[in-house]
Amino acid sequence: MSPRLTCTVCLCLLAACGSTPRPPAPAQAASPTAPAPAAAAPAAPALDPPQPALRLPRNFVPTGYRARLALDPARDGFTGAIEIDGEVRERSKGFWLHGRGLKVSAARLIQGARSVRVDVAPVGEDLLSLHPAEPIDPGSVTIAVDYTGGFDLVQGTGAYRHAFDGVPYIETQFESISARRVFPCLDEPDNKVSWQLTLDVPKHLVAVANTAATGETALDDATKRVAFAPTKPLPSYLIAFGVGPFEMVDAGRTRNGTPLRIIALKGRAKEAQWAAETSSRIIQLLEDYFATPYPYDKLDQISRPSPFGGAMENAGLVTYSSRLIMRDPAQITPGERLAWVSVAAHELAHQWFGDLVTTAWWDDIWLNEGFATWLAAKIVAQFEPAWHPDLLDTAARETALRADSVVTARRVRQPISNAGDIFQAFDGITYQKGASVLAMFEQAIGPDKFRDGVRAYIARHRYGSATSADFIAAISEVAGHDVGPAFRSFLDQAGAPVVRSELRCEPGRPPQLALAQRRYVRPGSPPVAEGTPWQLPVCVAYDRDGARGQTCGELTAASAELTLDAKACPAWVFANAGGRGYYRISQPEAALVALRDRGWKLLTPAERLILFGDVSAFAATGELDIGLELSLVPRLLAEHNGVATIAAVDAAERARRVLADDQNARFDAWIRRTFGPTARALGWQPGAHEDIDSQRSRAALVPLVAWAGDAALRSAAVALARDWRKLGATTRGAILETAADTDPATFDRLLAAAPVETDPDLRGDLLRAVSRVSNEARLRAALALALDPRVEARELFPLVFAGRDRAQVRIVDAYFRDHIAELLARYPATGELGAVVLANAFLRRCEPAQRDDAAAFVREHFGKLVGAERVMARGLEGLDQCIAAKGLLGPKLAAWLAKLPR
Ligand SMILES: [Zn+2]
């Protein structure tokens, strides 16, 4: 799955989408008074397992599903009939299945010639209890259930209905635990079985599912029945279907002749061109890596009828946000080409990592997501080196290190104790840390050996499930030693190491680099005990008589010394050569100045970015002067690559967060001086045939300088916004935000247009634009849209997170506190995103006086939600870090500002 919330300047390779399996809840013996079946030999007592807390008991295990659904995008709700083949493992009089919001009208159990009525009752939020009229002996059975269900109109999980260009569609999103919204089933990833779907749909519409259609028959004048081939073994979360007036676009075939199609929304087939051109090449690169053909009978990649929602790797039917898969060929930009290739590579890598071999339980979801993220980066590197894949990896690693800088960070393999833990497992730790740790060990073991281990792992577990232990065993075999302790030091404990690196030169002895490790945590966090030492490969680049030398070793204890191969004492050292190490380097400030002034040119662009990230990290803790960090900003801009520019802009944005209100004007002047010339040269609109670096730099620089008060850029945005329908999707959002803030008339037009626009992509840009305005009266007018019935609940997030600076955030915070009941009525915060997103909206005011009040408010309104404890703890720690940073860095930044020329 891909991240479901889009980021603005998204550097991360947006690739999509738990382990020792927790044993099933022990089935408990039935009460001894349960009557035995009549006229039988003394039977064993029949099992009636109690309500499970998390995992279902395994006294009944499905072996296959046949489901028929009647669906019409023009109507709300659906009817279903499902036959579940399975094994009763112990004599039972009660069974459990997952089912959420399903109303069962009839159910029976067939065993041999016997058919037994089954009473089905919903229990809790997502369980069905099944009680056959008489106890069932072990053996094969079929449970048949007739039921009705509804669409998720808020969060777009389960089956959801959405309109695009005014036309309604039905599609699905089952990961992680939403198959139960559509099918009574065992909704856990280790139950991999065959599914056969049949869909009854309006006859003028197209129905698609994981497998090819095997037949279509007319039911009546208006309805047809479409049957699909049984799937290979799949977990419930990978089942998918779609119904609507889709347009099919041929995308070629795999080497083995498997057909590839892009499924476009009505009238948009020509926008599928880039996806259609590139899919077979991506599949070929993946087949080469795995040395295994694409494993399913067809591959459809389908547009979602909304711009929200990332992408999802359903076997044979991958879904993508319309913004990723449909692009106007006349306007497509290099960044949009990259976004498609990187997300498609991620989702298609999942066809092997995730679909063919599935994580056995959600605590090992990194086996899907970390892997797909890591492998997608390799595919992108082969696909188009001009996209600077190495720098993108570096940026993704920095994202992970920041997510890992709180005491409340999850582990990569975090135990799952409730549904909230499942929802929260899809975070930067699973994706980017998982991928970064893989890249580090791949480098240390050797890419070819590592690939052989991956191939062995896939071959050994194909069509089944696997755990981290299975993967570690496969890699250990090819490495020739047990890699388990090293891997587990990163998978099973939270946080990221700091490696303190200090050069020691003594006469008559080669230079030594003293290395010591500890956990990186920023001020404001609660104290944390050091865990077991990480076992990390360390490569050091250093000055060897004016040239670059390199030495590699390992740090497996709290400290170690590495002997450098140099005659003289090196002028500089950099202890993350190649940039694959998942750790931060701390050095004395003088050593960093030497590295900046004498080593900078001998580092690779990726290493320079890493150096900057580490300097920023220790400026944030107060260990280094923030002036040293900002002294690197002009050097990054001089790199002339978009990723370095984004890192420089990011540093400016972070510094702004700790400014006192009366320092803004001086800071804005510095921004205009430092970033302005490049921003004005780039302008808002791309030139013809522009490269990805110019595009990335524009997206970061031009809004920064415009918001720092550049009058020319602001009035240019207003002029461009007059014809806003003609703007390209890449630049449109930033132009509209600036224009809405600059010109009241533009704001009024966008505010009126947002709730009636029919293109969801454009609606999103309009809503974001009006929500970023500085003027209080206009900001309040924008916030009122959050409670306007024309704006859908799932469109609320830009409004809830409205406001750019501290003054606006105060207004937004007060507004939603005043309207909390209406907000929660519109967006019931019970689902995957609700708790996380909404709770964090109220922890944005980085003000010590507000802190306890904010914590109490969030606890009162969100504290009872499943998984809320972890969300609130992390949100509060972030708030505490922000408050601490203001106190610690504010004075240093003021001193730095005072030294700038007026
Ligand atoms: Zn994924």
Side-chain angles (χ1 to χ4, degrees):
M1 178 157 66
S2 265
R4 302 187 66 210
L5 296 174
T6 46
C7 40
T8 43
V9 185
C10 215
L11 263 182
C12 38
L13 278 186
L14 278 177
C17 354
S19 149
T20 308
R22 185 171 287 255
Q28 290 181 4
S31 119
T33 57
L47 223 55
D48 190 4
Q51 178 178 347
L54 183 62
R55 300 200 72 169
L56 297 191
R58 293 302 201 267
N59 60 329
F60 171 68
V61 178
T63 54
Y65 296 84
R66 288 177 302 280
R68 193 176 74 235
L69 301 173
L71 301 147
D72 180 350
R75 302 213 177 105
D76 202 8
F78 59 87
T79 63
I82 192 164
E83 293 177 345
I84 311 172
D85 295 334
E87 290 292 321
V88 172
R89 289 183 170 171
E90 292 173 75
R91 180 176 160 79
S92 300
K93 60 178 187 173
F95 304 105
W96 291 94
L97 288 173
H98 288 112
R100 183 178 180 116
L102 304 180
K103 290 202 178 77
V104 173
S105 53
R108 61 192 195 287
L109 183 149
I110 299 105
Q111 188 174 43
R114 182 162 82 125
S115 177
V116 178
R117 182 178 54 79
V118 179
D119 291 330
V120 181
V123 175
E125 279 203 329
D126 60 357
L127 292 172
L128 298 173
S129 84
L130 288 76
H131 283 97
E134 48 196 78
I136 305 299
D137 288 321
S140 300
V141 302
T142 298
I143 298 175
V145 183
D146 296 332
Y147 61 99
T148 57
F151 297 120
D152 176 7
L153 301 177
V154 176
Q155 298 184 101
T157 62
Y160 62 92
R161 216 159 51 107
H162 202 270
F164 198 98
D165 294 336
V167 180
Y169 297 81
I170 293 168
E171 288 193 22
T172 57
Q173 168 64 41
F174 290 167
E175 194 179 29
S176 50
I177 53 171
S178 292
R180 63 191 64 176
R181 288 173 175 269
V182 178
F183 305 113
C185 61
L186 173 53
D187 197 8
E188 297 182 10
D190 62 335
N191 186 233
K192 289 183 78 171
V193 299
S194 177
W195 289 70
Q196 192 273 315
L197 299 189
T198 301
L199 301 179
D200 295 348
V201 302
K203 73 174 186 185
H204 64 285
L205 297 180
V206 178
V208 290
N210 300 84
T211 51
T214 53
E216 206 173 287
T217 50
L219 289 182
D220 56 40
D221 284 354
T223 315
K224 64 183 177 184
R225 173 163 292 173
V226 185
F228 297 89
T231 68
K232 301 274 196 199
L234 288 176
S236 50
Y237 82 85
L238 289 172
I239 301 305
F241 55 81
V243 181
F246 297 113
E247 296 181 2
M248 302 298 182
V249 178
D250 181 14
R253 288 180 177 266
T254 68
R255 286 191 186 106
N256 280 3
T258 304
L260 309 175
R261 298 187 300 186
I262 308 300
I263 303 183
L265 302 178
K266 188 181 180 186
R268 301 272 184 151
K270 74 172 178 14
E271 297 180 19
Q273 187 180 319
W274 176 243
E277 266 172 32
T278 50
S279 293
S280 69
R281 173 133 188 257
I282 297 170
I283 287 281
Q284 280 185 12
L285 291 169
L286 289 163
E287 288 181 330
D288 289 344
Y289 190 83
F290 289 110
T292 309
Y294 170 74
Y296 301 107
D297 73 339
K298 57 99 175 166
L299 172 61
D300 287 333
Q301 297 179 92
I302 186 170
S303 173
R304 287 180 172 166
S306 83
F308 313 117
M312 178 63 208
E313 68 269 19
N314 311 300
L317 183 66
V318 182
T319 61
Y320 296 90
S321 142
S322 60
R323 205 163 188 154
L324 283 166
I325 195 170
M326 301 196 310
R327 287 292 93 185
D328 180 350
Q331 288 198 339
I332 188 168
T333 63
E336 288 167 343
R337 291 179 196 272
L338 162 65
W340 160 258
V341 172
S342 62
V343 177
H346 177 112
E347 303 308 332
L348 298 179
H350 272 313
Q351 303 298 306
W352 288 263
F353 268 129
D355 297 7
L356 185 59
V357 179
T358 304
T359 184
W361 181 235
W362 300 110
D363 58 352
D364 258 338
I365 192 63
W366 82 284
L367 284 172
N368 288 9
E369 300 303 351
F371 275 71
T373 303
W374 161 78
L375 187 54
K378 295 175 85 72
I379 300 301
V380 168
Q382 292 175 71
F383 196 97
E384 181 51 82
W387 288 336
H388 302 310
D390 55 329
L391 301 185
L392 295 175
D393 291 352
T394 304
R397 174 189 161 284
E398 178 66 26
T399 303
L401 286 168
R402 286 193 204 164
D404 232 356
S405 70
V406 287
V407 167
T408 46
R410 288 176 54 257
R411 309 176 209 165
V412 174
R413 292 187 67 246
Q414 182 75 32
I416 302 285
S417 53
N418 56 45
D421 290 337
I422 297 174
F423 303 145
Q424 291 161 34
F426 293 82
D427 70 352
I429 295 298
T430 296
Y431 286 77
Q432 278 85 28
K433 181 177 179 180
S436 300
V437 168
L438 284 170
M440 174 170 68
F441 286 117
E442 180 199 21
Q443 191 70 25
I445 290 162
D448 289 349
K449 274 190 190 171
F450 197 84
R451 182 201 57 209
D452 292 346
V454 168
R455 288 176 176 176
Y457 164 81
I458 294 285
R460 204 169 290 165
H461 303 285
R462 51 192 286 123
Y463 298 116
S465 321
T467 65
S468 289
D470 297 323
F471 175 72
I472 287 168
I475 297 297
S476 295
E477 280 169 33
V478 294
H481 65 275
D482 182 9
V483 299
F487 259 100
R488 283 193 292 271
S489 73
F490 282 89
L491 301 179
D492 291 341
Q493 64 182 344
V498 174
V499 174
R500 176 73 176 176
S501 129
E502 289 190 60
L503 193 57
R504 290 182 186 156
C505 296
E506 291 167 20
R509 213 179 151 214
Q512 305 287 310
L513 194 65
L515 302 171
Q517 59 166 303
R518 63 182 162 87
R519 181 171 174 176
Y520 178 86
V521 176
R522 286 174 49 194
S525 292
V528 61
E530 290 293 329
T532 52
W534 284 275
Q535 301 198 8
L536 39 100
V538 175
C539 279
V540 183
Y542 50 90
D543 161 48
R544 185 160 59 193
D545 305 324
R548 174 174 163 139
Q550 190 162 313
T551 297
C552 294
E554 275 188 330
L555 178 59
T556 56
S559 62
E561 282 206 339
L562 198 61
T563 303
L564 303 184
D565 177 22
K567 293 197 180 70
C569 192
W572 56 269
V573 292
F574 175 72
N576 198 350
R580 291 296 188 191
Y582 186 75
Y583 52 85
R584 294 207 180 275
I585 312 159
S586 146
Q587 300 197 61
E589 191 154 332
L592 279 165
V593 170
L595 178 55
R596 179 191 68 186
D597 295 342
R598 301 181 64 180
W600 184 263
K601 288 203 174 114
L602 290 171
L603 300 182
T604 65
E607 289 168 341
R608 292 197 283 262
L609 270 179
I610 286 173
L611 170 61
F612 181 70
D614 290 344
V615 168
S616 298
F618 293 105
T621 63
E623 288 165 61
L624 294 176
D625 183 7
I626 197 166
L628 177 63
E629 178 190 4
L630 296 174
S631 77
L632 293 172
V633 163
R635 286 172 185 263
L636 288 179
L637 292 176
E639 300 268 300
H640 297 298
N641 80 61
V643 182
T645 303
I646 290 170
V649 168
D650 192 40
E653 304 272 21
R654 271 182 281 118
R656 181 185 290 288
R657 267 175 241 144
V658 299
L659 281 181
D661 289 344
D662 62 358
Q663 294 168 337
N664 275 315
R666 288 202 65 139
F667 192 72
D668 282 343
W670 174 74
I671 284 180
R672 291 196 302 272
R673 265 199 318 278
T674 308
F675 299 91
T678 317
R680 283 187 288 273
L682 286 166
W684 287 107
Q685 292 281 62
H689 312 299
E690 120 174 324
D691 64 16
I692 200 160
D693 286 314
S694 302
Q695 189 196 333
R696 283 184 184 140
S697 296
R698 167 181 304 101
L701 279 177
V702 177
L704 176 80
V705 174
W707 282 95
D710 185 286
L713 286 173
R714 290 179 79 86
S715 59
V718 173
L720 286 165
R722 285 192 196 112
D723 231 351
W724 47 269
R725 281 186 184 281
K726 289 201 178 136
L727 296 172
T730 300
T731 51
R732 183 174 63 205
I735 292 171
L736 295 183
E737 284 181 21
T738 307
D741 189 57
T742 306
D743 177 45
T746 302
F747 173 86
D748 290 343
R749 278 199 308 134
L750 302 188
L751 184 74
V756 294
E757 173 57 48
T758 58
D759 176 341
D761 202 348
L762 194 41
R763 271 173 83 91
D765 283 345
L766 294 169
L767 288 170
R768 271 187 295 278
V770 295
S771 70
R772 307 286 275 167
V773 71
S774 314
N775 174 278
E776 180 170 346
R778 280 181 255 152
L779 180 58
R780 288 184 182 283
L783 293 175
L785 285 177
L787 307 176
D788 184 326
R790 294 173 301 170
V791 171
E792 293 178 48
R794 67 182 110 181
E795 293 177 314
L796 291 180
F797 295 128
L799 298 162
V800 176
F801 285 88
R804 179 172 287 271
D805 289 335
R806 214 168 292 142
Q808 290 88 46
V809 170
R810 281 179 199 135
I811 295 163
V812 176
D813 185 75
Y815 180 86
F816 285 111
R817 279 166 178 255
D818 288 348
H819 294 89
I820 186 70
E822 293 146 277
L823 181 69
L824 291 180
R826 289 216 65 195
Y827 198 107
T830 53
E832 302 191 19
L833 289 173
V836 178
V837 175
L838 290 183
N840 280 296
F842 296 96
L843 296 173
R844 290 196 299 153
R845 284 182 64 179
C846 185
E847 297 168 33
Q850 289 294 321
R851 189 255 183 221
D852 291 346
D853 180 48
F857 183 84
V858 166
R859 186 163 301 281
E860 179 190 347
H861 293 285
F862 301 93
K864 293 207 178 77
L865 299 173
V866 174
E869 279 307 317
R870 177 173 289 280
V871 173
M872 290 189 303
R874 198 164 50 213
L876 265 183
E877 188 181 352
L879 179 59
D880 288 339
Q881 285 190 343
C882 181
I883 291 169
K886 258 171 82 176
L888 189 67
L889 303 182
K892 294 187 179 193
L893 198 56
W896 175 79
L897 275 174
K899 281 191 243 159
L900 292 180
R902 291 241 165 214

